[in-house]
Amino acid sequence: MDLLNPEKLIAISQAPNDSEAFDEWCSQNDILPFLSEEAEDEYVLIYVSLDHVYMYALLVPDDVNLEDHGNDLMGWSSNPFSGWSLVASQDDVWIERPCQSEGSEVLKTATQIIFGRSFEGHTSDSSYFEVNQEIIQVLDLHYVSERNAWCRLDQHGDIEDCISVLDLKGGRAILVKANVLDKYCAASRTKLLRMFDFTRYRKGSFSGWGNGQDESDLPKHDGIAMRLTVQPGVGSYSRGVQLIEPKMSASSVCSETWGINDDQREYASFIAQDWKNKRIAEISCAPGATVNYFTESDLPFELSPAYFRPEVLSKYKADRQKYTLEDRSITCRGAWYLKSYDINEAGQVHTYLVDLRQLPYEEQLHWKQFNELPKAGLSKRAFTTDFEGQWRDEYDALPALKSRLRELIKAKCPWWDLPNTDQIQEVHYPVTASRDEWANEIMALDQLVVEGLNQKWLKAKAVELGQKPSATMRQLKLLEACMVGLGFEEEHAHGLISPFHELHNLRSLVRGHRWGSDAASESKRVLHEFGEYKIHFKSLCQRCDESLELIVAGFSEHEIAAQGGN
């Protein structure tokens, strides 16, 4: 069934008003096609409780079949609100597992998928559902309340609903993603068994079943056994079971787990610098298309670099919850990892074919659309660390600033704190000519540096240092007052705080990307003075870092002096 469009299910649960249409509806000719088609959908129903429709599914051993066990299974009568129970006789007590009183001997070995629970202590709906812990742990599923579903991260790092509870008019339905359940079934040597019950009549005018009922066992159809009773003009009721075989085998699950089928993956080709053969060529990143340094071959090295327009990184900056953009690497939550990238003197992003190989094919295609001829070679940093094997100890403003802030967190600094330490990782250099990207990074830097200042502590400290802060003074003015109180000349103190004022004022101008005349003028000034947004941003980070170093030293010297006086 379509998870986002349950109209087919809703349609079969509603009685038509027209008499002729009602008689056709009561014939239940639509049931077998519905069950067969729905079993082939992306999502499969495992529980339905609606007007005129009831369905419930369990997992049974894979040797269960309708030929040998059909009569036994037709006696099945249960619902998900049965489960593990404590049973006691007059002189003994024991735990009884689920499915022991279902009216079927076969089902005593079944596995219950969902468990209906009820608790009057809940302030909202007292009934709710849980999923078999073995199933969700094996499949690594987790309940996400806002989606009302048990979810996982897919190969792209997106949240994927795997077992969903739908609240529909008149009842509920629970669906499971077929290929996810197939994996568990294949590994556990089970298959899905659904019991269904379609009882059709006119609500409000039904007085019961009378004489003249036509009862029949329909021929088995696509793993379905069904018994139908029709009373013309009154209604009908059917009862049946359906066995659904998993579309995945145990051997295919084994191969997937060990990555044996990786040779079936697709790989993109990139314009790359083939150092080995002294050429620029389009080279596949597939295994076998390149070699390492220790293999004698005419094939390019797997460390051949490919170059990209800087916009390739915009996707990862735009979703900081999903992607973690480090100084040299990119991680997509629970999905993939790009081990190494850097930016050369021409502003191009570059990475190696061997690292592109590790990305999903769709992600490789994202990089391919920004692939271009090299305008310069590797960055000095990449060449030094990746090929010379040396640590590059060169000052870089933003990493230095981040490092200093981490030290403040580690030291439990009272005047600057950051409730969400992930913010440190969320600030990056702007790498494109987009002023929106520049604005985003300005706001992120301001949230990191300025919003981390503890206004209450700074005000108290300024008073302690003999200053008289006004009621309207905010963090930066209070920090400046503290510097004066620590012995800095007023002009020097103002100069120390000026980079933070510049940052905060810029953030105010570009907030929400409202490019008014003042913001536009400031953007033009930055480009005129620095040439690129990145150069301006790096300069601003350096000035903030240099000021922060003196501010930290000032507070530290005061604290040491105070401790010495005690």
Side-chain angles (χ1 to χ4, degrees), residues 397 429 530 534-544:
Y429 286 127
F530 293 92
K534 180 179 179 179
I535 296 175
H536 163 262
F537 194 86
K538 182 175 286 192
S539 171
L540 185 56
C541 287
Q542 180 173 342
R543 285 178 284 137
C544 286

Side-chain angles (χ1 to χ4, degrees), residues 2 89 107 115 156 186 297 341 351 367 403 430 451 455 487 502 530:
D2 185 346
S89 64
L107 294 187
F115 294 84
H156 306 294
S297 169
Y341 80 93
T351 187
W367 284 76
S403 178
E451 290 187 9
Q455 181 170 315
E502 179 184 341
F530 293 92

Side-chain angles (χ1 to χ4, degrees), residues 125-137:
D125 193 348
S126 62
S127 66
Y128 61 99
F129 289 91
E130 294 175 350
V131 179
N132 187 314
Q133 282 293 307
E134 179 181 307
I135 293 174
I136 62 175
Q137 289 185 35

Side-chain angles (χ1 to χ4, degrees), residues 40-42 55 95 110 216 260 382 393 423 467 478 528 542:
E40 298 296 321
D41 281 350
E42 181 181 8
M55 296 175 67
I95 304 295
S216 60
I260 295 173
D393 190 17
Q423 285 180 249
Q467 303 301 300
L478 290 169
H528 178 74
Q542 180 173 342

